[in-house]
């Protein structure tokens, strides 16, 4: 769009739509990971390493 000299507001709206889609994908993946990998680790050995890993990862998800 930028190469085609599209109107700035139109580009910003497209960026917002992509951000929203990525945020929804991150939420779905986080839910699946916590209900699968993290849950299994907690049941197996307390899951401290997986919980710490998840908490570190969540710090990067600003739009979560």
């Amino acid at each position: 769009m930028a190469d085609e000299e599209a109107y700035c507001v139109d580009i910003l709206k497209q960026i917002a739509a992509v951000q929203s889609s990525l945020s929804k994908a991150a939420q779905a993946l986080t839910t699946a990971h916590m209900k699968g990998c993290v849950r299994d680790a907690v049941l197996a050995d307390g899951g401290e390493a997986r919980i710490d890993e998840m908490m570190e990862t969540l710090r990067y998800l600003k739009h979560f």
Side-chain angles (χ1 to χ4, degrees):
M1 288 179 79
D3 289 342
E4 297 170 4
E5 298 183 20
Y7 186 54
C8 295
V9 172
D10 292 337
I11 296 170
L12 290 168
K13 287 178 182 178
Q14 289 299 313
I15 290 171
V18 169
Q19 286 175 328
S20 176
S21 293
L22 288 173
S23 181
K24 289 176 186 176
Q27 288 175 1
L29 185 57
T30 299
T31 299
H33 181 65
M34 292 182 77
K35 288 184 175 184
C37 298
V38 175
R39 180 184 177 276
D40 291 347
V42 168
L43 293 174
D45 64 8
E48 291 301 320
R50 290 284 182 166
I51 292 169
D52 291 344
E53 177 184 61
M54 193 70 235
M55 295 306 295
E56 178 66 25
T57 301
L58 289 174
R59 288 186 187 101
Y60 294 101
L61 297 172
K62 296 176 182 163
H63 298 285
F64 189 72

